[in-house]
Amino acid sequence: METKKDILIMGIETSCDETSASIVLNGRKVVSNIISSQISLHQKYGGVVPEIASRKHVELMIPVIDEALDKAGIKLKDLDAIGVTYGPGLVGALLVGLSAAKGLAFAIDKPLVGVHHIEGHIAANYIQHEELEPPFICLVASGGHSHIVYVESYDKFQILGQTRDDAAGEAFDKIARAIGLGYPGGPLIDKAAGEGDPKAINFPRVYFDGGSLDFSFSGLKTAVLNHLHNLSQKGEAYDINDISASFQQAVVDVLVKNTVNAAVKMEVNKITLAGGVASNRCLRKQMKEHAKAKGIEVLYPSPVLCTDNAAMVACAAYYGFIKGTFCDLRLNAVPGLRLGEK
Ligand code: KG4
Ligand code: ZN
């Protein structure tokens, strides 16, 4: 399909605990990006409670959509398409955004574009860096995913490595809870680590044989928990900052090494970061340092575009739209949707 005029797309994202609607012009310019976070609701449970998330999405979806339109100063009929995350994620949560998106697309008789959540995270980089084009390597690290993706083109992805157990963000959240920092753990560990010594405790780093670029964080999590347990049995106090810094360094070392190796393997000179963990200051800094030594540039989105948001969904939907990859109103939520699967 030829793009003859400006294309305005509304993105909708409800795969976890953020209710978000955004309007993006020509895939790269954010006109409005409304994100209503439910973090405070889930905090007392130490993690996202799926049923509470779904119910809250139902309450927030329409007000968030209205606000996105108001902020953009446009009417529904001005939109050219609706993009929506249909997986992976929590099924009840996904269904709320998907139903809203289908209703809107039907009401204005405009195309519906289904977006893979990880594709959305990757696309956040296109918004931040207007000149960015594939191919590149993207490290997608969030509460639910740790993937090294070769982004061959706007709609062609190859997973080069992924976690075999916990996601990186999940490990941050679990360790933060164990040391009493609260939820979500990533930003809190990031902050505490800034005051600690990353060499204080030598936690394990897992690398797989045979050139595998996969990750494993469950052994690291157990090592930290054992360390805490041993100290408490001896009646010794632990230093939250040192534990945070040493744990964070162990995660970052593996993420950096495998991602840089992936870029070298695929002979690309660009690495992008995506997902909530991409906000991590230590990861950003050390990825840049190690990549630079191999002549590779590192790009990442601003923190608001790293965590879940609908602007990234609208951006990914734009590339589906210009290719004419539309979905009909039978599109269903796919909680375990794999990247590249339609
Ligand atoms: O992308 P996201 O909003 O949701 C998922 O798709 O999972 O990522 C949320 C995750 C949480 O696990 C959170 O602890 C982590 O990203 N996170 C961080 C930081 N900010 C958020 N992890 C490490 N350092 C950070 N600064
Ligand atoms: Zn996400």
Side-chain angles (χ1 to χ4, degrees):
M1 178 189 286
E2 238 182 282
T3 45
K4 293 197 190 77
K5 65 171 189 78
D6 283 342
I7 303 294
L8 268 180
I9 295 188
M10 174 181 277
I12 292 180
E13 160 64 44
T14 62
S15 66
C16 191
D17 62 341
E18 261 91 27
T19 317
S20 182
S22 167
I23 292 159
V24 172
L25 177 68
N26 296 331
R28 303 249 175 168
K29 190 174 179 317
V30 179
V31 190
S32 65
N33 187 22
I34 310 301
I35 306 163
S36 178
S37 171
Q38 305 178 6
I39 283 178
S40 57
L41 271 180
H42 300 279
Q43 237 151 12
K44 66 176 168 193
Y45 305 103
V48 178
V49 183
E51 193 46 43
I52 294 178
S54 316
R55 278 189 243 161
K56 208 63 199 169
H57 284 311
V58 172
E59 273 173 43
L60 293 168
M61 191 74 265
I62 301 295
V64 164
I65 288 172
D66 283 344
E67 200 180 333
L69 289 166
D70 280 356
K71 272 255 164 72
I74 62 161
K75 301 266 178 255
L76 268 179
K77 65 172 176 39
D78 300 322
L79 293 170
D80 294 287
I82 310 288
V84 62
T85 304
Y86 71 107
L90 303 169
V91 67
L94 287 165
L95 280 170
V96 179
L98 187 58
S99 309
K102 287 194 215 175
L104 293 179
F106 180 70
I108 60 175
D109 195 20
K110 291 285 166 63
L112 176 71
V113 183
V115 172
H116 188 290
H117 185 71
I118 292 183
E119 229 177 290
H121 274 302
I122 295 169
N125 283 286
Y126 298 132
I127 298 174
Q128 193 75 43
H129 307 285
E130 277 201 45
E131 309 302 314
L132 176 66
E133 282 181 17
F136 54 84
I137 292 290
C138 185
L139 169 69
V140 187
S142 70
H145 320 279
S146 300
H147 286 53
I148 298 177
V149 182
Y150 174 54
V151 183
E152 194 179 329
S153 65
Y154 287 105
D155 63 348
K156 260 190 145 175
F157 308 93
Q158 191 185 335
I159 298 173
L160 302 176
Q162 58 191 308
T163 184
R164 297 195 184 177
D165 39 58
D166 291 352
E170 191 182 352
F172 270 93
D173 293 337
K174 285 179 178 167
I175 296 308
R177 194 182 323 156
I179 58 178
L181 277 178
Y183 174 85
L188 300 166
I189 289 196
D190 189 344
K191 191 156 174 268
E195 309 293 317
D197 175 7
K199 294 203 176 96
I201 310 132
N202 187 21
F203 289 129
R205 280 90 166 138
V206 172
Y207 298 101
F208 292 99
D209 292 338
S212 166
L213 298 172
D214 282 354
F215 303 113
S216 166
F217 297 111
S218 70
L220 168 61
K221 180 187 68 192
T222 308
V224 179
L225 297 177
N226 283 344
H227 178 78
L228 295 174
H229 186 64
N230 288 341
L231 288 179
S232 91
Q233 277 193 328
K234 286 191 264 172
E236 289 175 24
Y238 55 83
D239 183 322
I240 289 188
N241 297 340
D242 280 352
I243 293 192
S244 298
S246 302
F247 159 76
Q248 176 177 272
Q249 190 59 59
V251 176
V252 166
D253 278 353
V254 184
L255 292 178
V256 168
K257 189 166 183 203
N258 287 4
T259 308
V260 173
N261 282 346
V264 171
K265 179 177 168 190
M266 301 311 285
E267 299 179 350
V268 292
N269 60 2
K270 258 174 287 171
I271 287 175
T272 63
L273 308 181
V277 182
S279 298
N280 187 269
R281 291 172 303 166
C282 174
L283 174 67
R284 289 175 173 220
K285 185 167 173 281
Q286 295 188 11
M287 188 71 84
K288 274 194 159 176
E289 287 166 4
H290 284 79
K292 196 173 169 200
K294 307 255 181 212
I296 299 165
E297 185 189 11
V298 176
L299 302 168
Y300 38 76
S302 63
V304 70
L305 292 172
C306 286
T307 41
D308 291 349
N309 68 88
M312 68 186 200
V313 177
C315 174
Y318 172 79
Y319 292 100
F321 178 85
I322 56 177
K323 268 202 110 175
T325 322
F326 305 148
C327 301
D328 67 30
L329 296 178
R330 285 169 301 181
L331 181 67
N332 204 355
V334 185
L337 186 66
R338 290 186 3 188
L339 193 61
E341 201 180 273
K342 290 281 172 197

